Amino acid sequence: MIIRKIALIATILTIGFTPLQAQGPQKGKASFYSKNFTGRKTASGERMNNDSLFCAHRTYPFGTMLKVYNPANGRSIVAKVIDRGPFVRGRIIDLSWRAAKELDIISSGVAMVVVHKVETIIVPFLATDQIEIPQLELETNDGAPALVPFWKEMKEAQLKAQKAAENTKKRRTNASASGVKTP
């Protein structure tokens, strides 16, 4: 009786601390979700969206980014794990509809893929030497009155010019009415 308890505890501890087999690259079949699953909740609690790059995997934690490579055509994508599955023998991953489209497996339905965890994601960008970072001087005005913005000065100048033009026009109309010539 005691030997059975010890054996049971040893078995549980051995199984509990066994590393997951999904840590290295996996080769197997991939399938994809139907468009009818849009809006449904996944095991992680997120809602499915067919235009997103997500997947279902049996062992990787939610939020893990997986690179899925299709060796038949050389295409690859990075998808986020948000669901559990697939629960069909021989399949290792379920992809969103868009992920399957990017890998070009829509027509075949199921395809052989290679899956591995992405440690870091590098977002590519086009580096150019034309971009110069401006030097900024940050100062305070030490209690001096604030500077008037240039647009405010321009507006005041326009208003003065309009008033001067109106006054000149009034003087001309008054002078012509009285018969006096103005320069």
Side-chain angles (χ1 to χ4, degrees):
M1 187 73 162
I2 294 175
I3 296 174
R4 284 186 181 176
K5 286 182 182 179
I6 293 172
L8 180 63
I9 291 172
T11 304
I12 291 172
L13 289 176
T14 304
I15 292 172
F17 293 110
T18 303
L20 297 175
Q21 295 176 356
Q23 300 305 315
Q26 293 180 309
K27 293 180 183 178
K29 293 180 182 178
S31 55
F32 60 94
Y33 286 96
S34 167
K35 282 190 171 184
N36 296 335
F37 284 90
T38 300
R40 291 188 186 178
K41 274 192 173 182
T42 62
S44 67
E46 292 184 49
R47 298 251 180 219
M48 283 193 192
N49 184 357
N50 284 324
D51 294 330
S52 300
L53 294 174
F54 68 84
C55 64
H57 198 275
R58 288 186 205 138
T59 55
Y60 279 112
F62 296 132
T64 304
M65 302 301 276
L66 298 178
K67 183 174 184 176
V68 184
Y69 172 71
N70 186 352
N73 57 18
R75 294 185 179 189
S76 65
I77 55 126
V78 176
K80 181 180 174 184
V81 177
I82 66 167
D83 203 6
R84 290 288 169 235
F87 300 109
V88 176
R89 185 178 215 169
R91 296 188 190 170
I92 59 169
I93 194 166
D94 269 339
L95 301 168
S96 66
W97 190 86
R98 177 163 175 231
K101 184 178 178 190
E102 296 284 329
L103 291 173
D104 198 25
I105 64 173
I106 297 288
S107 59
S108 62
V110 177
M112 289 297 292
V113 294
V114 178
V115 177
H116 62 87
K117 182 178 177 183
V118 176
E119 297 298 329
T120 57
I121 297 176
I122 299 171
V123 178
F125 68 96
L126 179 62
T128 60
D129 295 333
Q130 298 173 355
I131 299 173
E132 292 183 18
I133 300 175
Q135 295 292 329
L136 300 176
E137 294 181 19
L138 303 174
E139 299 177 358
T140 61
N141 61 4
D142 295 327
L147 298 173
V148 178
F150 76 94
W151 56 267
K152 199 169 189 180
E153 290 175 353
M154 288 177 60
K155 187 173 181 180
E156 289 173 0
Q158 284 178 346
L159 289 175
K160 282 183 182 179
Q162 285 177 354
K163 284 185 181 180
E166 288 175 7
N167 289 339
T168 306
K169 194 175 186 181
K170 283 182 183 178
R171 275 190 282 146
R172 285 186 182 167
T173 54
N174 289 341
S176 64
S178 64
V180 179
K181 287 190 175 182
T182 56

